[in-house]
Amino acid sequence: MQGMARAAERARPGRRLALFLAIYLGLTALIAWRLVTVQVVSADEYRELAQRQTQREIELPPRRGTILERGGDPLAISVPAAAVYANPRALESAELDPSFVASDLSEVLGVPMGSLMEDLTRDSGFAYLGRQLPRELGEQVKEMRLAGIGVLEEPRRTYPSATLASQVVGFAGIDGEGLSGTEAAFEEDLSGSPGMLRQERAPGGVTISSAPQEVEAAEPGKDVMLTIDGRMQHNAERLLADVVEAHDALGASAVVLDVETGEVLVMASTPGYDPSEIGAASQYERRNRAVTDVFEPGSVAKAVTVAAALEEGVTTPDRVVTVPDSVTVGNKRFRDSTAKAERDLSVTEITAESSNVGTIQLAQQLGEDTLHDYLGRFGLGRSPELGFPGESAGLLPGLDQWYSTSLPTIAIGQGVSASLLQVAGVFETIATGGEWVQPSFVHAVADANGQLSPVAEGARERAISEGTAAEVAEMLAAVVTEGTGQAAAVPGYSVAGKTGTAQKPSETERGYEEGAYIATFAGFAPVEDPQLVAAIMVDEPQDDYYGGDVAAPMFAELMEFSLSHRRVAPTEGENAAKPTMGPTDDREQGDT
């Protein structure tokens, strides 16, 4: 027994050694596994963590691309500005009293001390104290050499033309993101790519000033050139302001199109706004109402009804129709706005006098399916595909939604709604010789080399034949020479167009709003070789609401300036308006 005990005593140190060896090997394996995990398996993760602890990354905003009108003048441009920021943790680590820093900066930045104290005492390594400040102010802050305070250069969006085409241009937010108009529509091109500033910092968050800084430059945005003609736009906005004041109207809009290309040369709405003072503008002032807002076009839509009747061969311009004093369809009686006894009128005279009854008679010969088809061909009830944010497709009820009175109602421009751009598109379709042309409001976008590259022209779709378009153009010329649109005559040029007056639908109940009207005129010139299309709408004129009295005179002034500016030669022949032609007191025979 004693021998066995002594043997056990001798074996005990060996077991302890083996145990210690096993523990050592286990610890070594654990450490090795941990090293492999840290240095190999999770190396990227720990490297990123180390960088986050020792480096600060500050995003550098890019210079936003310039928006230009077609002549090259800037409508929106980015200029260098300063951003002042703080590192609250650095102030805390340096045991600096933030109230002293706030006191020094408050007067310079024009920011209340209380607001600065909130930013300087937050648990963060970065906080903006001021954005898009004048560069001189940024330099002043730099010279103060305040601990934990830095200055960055950033772009500030400015609008040198102020209210000019403001609803088309839109505006961008403080972070450089386009929020409306062209600024939003071409955000991807205008925005560019941000850069990065990397700084090394101590564990407490204090920036190591002696350490090298890594700067990744921002890539500037691309310039965008609009189709808008600055001089024509300015003239249109002036005329719109005059007509709004003269008729105490809620507002007014105008569109001018290049017949050949479909480019929008003018797209104006009054009242407008200054994008630099966006906070003071109402939603009505901000909207590009020529594209986003719709209204019942009234008698201007009769041009489509007449064109469809001619194209389908159910009538001719010279065909004489017996037009009664009224026509009853379903449970509704339709009459002309000025009572007339039964009379014989040619289709041209029906158009010139804007007769409701005569137009409805033509529509009845067409039928619902055919009229609906032609309204779509002329761009009503579908988006113009301009590419502008919030553009409206208007409203053209499907045939399954038509009632017994829909055919006569829609034939004279009620029960259907359209934007002013769509109305202009109707007359451009006639002016082009029967082709609907997709409009465009951007002429060119800069390529990778900074060179402006023209955008592709829009789609073209045939709506009516060239022969029918020519006949309709001559009939619309009679509207100006002897019908309801005589006030739209332009001295020295032949003009074709159509007046329109329509009540505004009520926003609160079924039916129309009492005393609220839209006055419209749309047309083109010269008739023999159309170059420009223009459409005018005046929203709720007070003293007089007929399109022939309110919108047509402005059309004449707008078109006269635009034709001269575009150097379109005056018309030769008897169709040209004489310089002595003035406004007419005639009322539209067909508008209700």
Side-chain angles (χ1 to χ4, degrees), residues 54-56 197-202 206-215:
T54 60
Q55 290 186 355
R56 174 184 294 111
L197 171 64
R198 297 181 177 87
Q199 300 175 328
E200 288 192 28
R201 59 182 179 179
V206 179
T207 300
I208 303 174
S209 58
S210 60
Q213 294 185 347
E214 181 181 348
V215 178

Side-chain angles (χ1 to χ4, degrees), residues 235-452:
N235 177 66
E237 291 181 5
R238 177 184 62 81
L239 293 174
L240 287 172
D242 290 344
V243 78
V244 167
E245 182 179 4
H247 296 282
D248 194 22
L250 180 64
S253 298
V255 169
V256 178
L257 303 176
D258 183 303
V259 171
E260 182 179 355
T261 65
E263 291 184 329
V264 179
L265 303 176
V266 170
M267 188 179 288
S269 291
T270 297
Y273 73 100
D274 186 340
S276 299
E277 301 177 3
I278 187 62
S282 67
Q283 285 297 324
Y284 185 80
E285 293 168 331
R286 294 181 189 182
R287 291 198 308 271
N288 183 7
R289 300 189 297 278
V291 174
T292 63
D293 291 17
V294 297
F295 58 96
E296 291 190 350
S299 293
V300 293
K302 292 174 183 174
V304 179
T305 305
V306 171
L310 293 174
E311 183 75 3
E312 290 297 307
V314 303
T315 191
T316 62
D318 298 328
R319 179 190 171 194
V320 176
V321 179
T322 299
V323 180
D325 67 328
S326 66
V327 59
T328 300
V329 181
N331 60 354
K332 188 173 181 179
R333 188 179 185 185
F334 296 85
R335 63 175 68 243
D336 291 343
S337 61
T338 302
K340 296 284 185 179
E342 182 176 283
R343 56 207 172 118
D344 292 335
L345 295 175
S346 70
V347 174
T348 295
E349 289 172 328
I350 288 173
T351 304
E353 294 188 12
S354 197
S355 170
N356 285 338
V357 177
T359 305
I360 290 171
Q361 289 177 298
L362 294 175
Q364 288 174 325
Q365 296 180 64
L366 284 170
E368 294 181 352
D369 289 357
T370 304
L371 180 60
H372 186 276
D373 175 49
Y374 276 91
L375 289 166
R377 292 190 193 187
F378 276 80
L380 300 182
R382 59 171 173 159
S383 171
E385 300 179 0
L386 183 68
F388 194 90
E391 67 181 278
S392 176
L395 176 62
L396 174 60
L399 287 169
D400 59 343
Q401 298 176 303
W402 283 37
Y403 301 98
S404 60
T405 57
S406 292
L407 175 67
T409 300
I410 291 175
I412 60 175
Q414 296 181 334
V416 60
S417 65
S419 68
L420 189 63
L421 178 64
Q422 288 175 302
V423 170
V426 167
F427 289 82
E428 184 184 24
T429 301
I430 299 168
T432 59
E435 281 190 320
W436 177 86
V437 180
Q438 181 182 348
S440 61
F441 75 105
V442 171
H443 178 69
V445 177
D447 57 23
N449 298 319
Q451 299 297 314
L452 287 169

Side-chain angles (χ1 to χ4, degrees), residues 49-94:
L49 178 61
Q51 288 176 344
R52 286 201 303 266
Q53 291 177 339
T54 60
Q55 290 186 355
R56 174 184 294 111
E57 292 186 346
I58 301 175
E59 186 174 277
L60 302 177
R63 180 188 65 79
R64 194 168 177 81
T66 300
I67 299 177
L68 311 159
E69 55 89 45
R70 69 184 303 119
D73 290 333
L75 299 174
I77 191 170
S78 293
V79 297
V84 178
Y85 69 92
N87 183 345
R89 289 175 183 163
L91 292 175
E92 184 179 2
S93 298

